[in-house]
Amino acid sequence: MGAKGVSKGAGHPALCDVELVTVLSALAEPTRLRIVAMLSEPGGERAWKDIDLPIAQSTLSHHLKILRNAGLVRNRTEGTRCFVSLREEEMEGRFPGLLETVLHCRDR
Amino acid sequence: MGAKGVSKGAGHPALCDVELVTVLSALAEPTRLRIVAMLSEPGGERAWKDIDLPIAQSTLSHHLKILRNAGLVRNRTEGTRCFVSLREEEMEGRFPGLLETVLHCRDR
DNA sequence: TTCGATGATCGACGATCATCGAACAGTGAC
DNA sequence: GTCACTGTTCGATGATCGTCGATCATCGAA
C-alpha cells in the first residue's frame, strides 16, 4: 500500500511529484481529454462501466492509468466495482487554473 | 502563398482551424515548452540564432514547425535571417487563458 | 556569377505510443 | 469450493515521435 488505502494496481502519485509536461501529455490525446471532460461534469465520480467509449476495455484501462500517473484522476474500489474521479482540488493546488482553463477551452 | 506574405516553407494556420489537442501536444514536450517560455519573456520576438539549445539545427527547425502548425508561434523572414515570436493575442482569442496559465504553471 | 550563411526538408534510426485480444487476479454470489 | 464479473497486466503490432547528419533552396555580399 502506497500512501492511502488505494485500489488495485494503481498507486496515485503525490501531486508535487508530477511534472507539468506529464499532465500536458496526458491531456494531449482526444480520448483522454474526453474522459477528463466527462469526469468534470456534475456528479463528480463516475463508475468505470459508465465510461463507455468506442475502445477496448484494456485500452480504457491503459488511458486511465496514464491519467492516474499524471495525477489527474483517482481510482476508488468498492467491492468488485471501480469508481473514477478527478483530483480537481489537488490539481488546482499544484497547477492553478490549468484544469479549468483546458476544460473551458475544450467546449468553447 | 498561403494567407499572408509569410516566410519560407512555413505557412501559418488560421487559429480557428487549430484543435486544442494539437496545442496541448505541441506544449507537451520539454524542449518546445522551453521555447515557448523563452518567447514569452520581455522582448517578444527572438532571432532564430538566439534560440540556442543543446539540439541539432534540424531538430530545432522541426520543433518550430510543430509550434507553428499548432498556431503557437509565427515566423518572420527578414532577408536571410528569421525571427520567431508568439501568437499571443490570437491564441488568447481562440483558447482564452491557456497560454498564460500553462506558462504560469511552468515556473511556479 | 560565385560564395557563404541561414533555415527548411529529406531519409534513417531508435524509442515511445495507442490499440487490441488473451490471460490474470481479486471480489461477491451461489 | 466454484462460478461470474470486473478491471489490470501482458505481449504484439502498426503508427507516430524526437533526433540526427546530409542535402536543398533562398538570400545578401563580394
Side-chain angles (χ1 to χ4, degrees), chain B residues 63-77:
Chain B
H63 282 312
L64 287 176
K65 183 178 185 178
I66 289 181
L67 290 173
R68 232 166 24 227
N69 290 339
L72 279 162
V73 309
R74 172 173 31 223
N75 261 16
R76 185 174 66 85
T77 298

Side-chain angles (χ1 to χ4, degrees), chain B residues 30-67:
Chain B
T31 301
R32 290 196 292 262
L33 188 53
R34 191 169 162 188
I35 293 173
V36 170
M38 187 183 300
L39 292 174
S40 75
E41 293 170 4
E45 204 175 47
R46 206 96 172 185
W48 216 97
K49 274 292 172 184
D50 289 353
I51 308 176
D52 64 324
L53 296 168
I55 55 176
Q57 178 254 347
S58 56
T59 305
L60 176 56
S61 185
H62 166 70
H63 282 312
L64 287 176
K65 183 178 185 178
I66 289 181
L67 290 173

Side-chain angles (χ1 to χ4, degrees), chain A residues 48-83:
Chain A
W48 215 97
K49 273 293 174 185
D50 288 353
I51 308 176
D52 64 326
L53 296 169
I55 55 177
Q57 188 203 34
S58 55
T59 305
L60 175 57
S61 185
H62 164 71
H63 283 311
L64 286 176
K65 183 178 185 178
I66 289 180
L67 289 173
R68 241 174 5 238
N69 289 339
L72 279 161
V73 310
R74 172 173 32 223
N75 261 16
R76 184 174 66 84
T77 298
E78 189 172 303
T80 176
R81 302 255 173 73
C82 187
F83 296 86

Side-chain angles (χ1 to χ4, degrees), chain A residues 20-21 24-30 33 93-99 101-106 108, chain B residues 20-21 24-30 33 93-99 101-106 108:
Chain A
L20 173 59
V21 167
L24 292 176
S25 295
L27 294 173
E29 206 277 334
L33 189 53
R94 174 78 170 106
F95 301 114
L98 184 61
L99 200 48
T101 303
V102 169
L103 288 172
H104 181 258
C105 285
R106 196 188 111 94
R108 334 142 307 125
Chain B
L20 174 59
V21 167
L24 293 176
S25 295
L27 294 173
E29 206 277 333
L33 188 53
R94 175 78 170 106
F95 301 114
L98 183 61
L99 200 48
T101 302
V102 169
L103 288 172
H104 181 257
C105 285
R106 197 189 110 95
R108 286 164 344 111

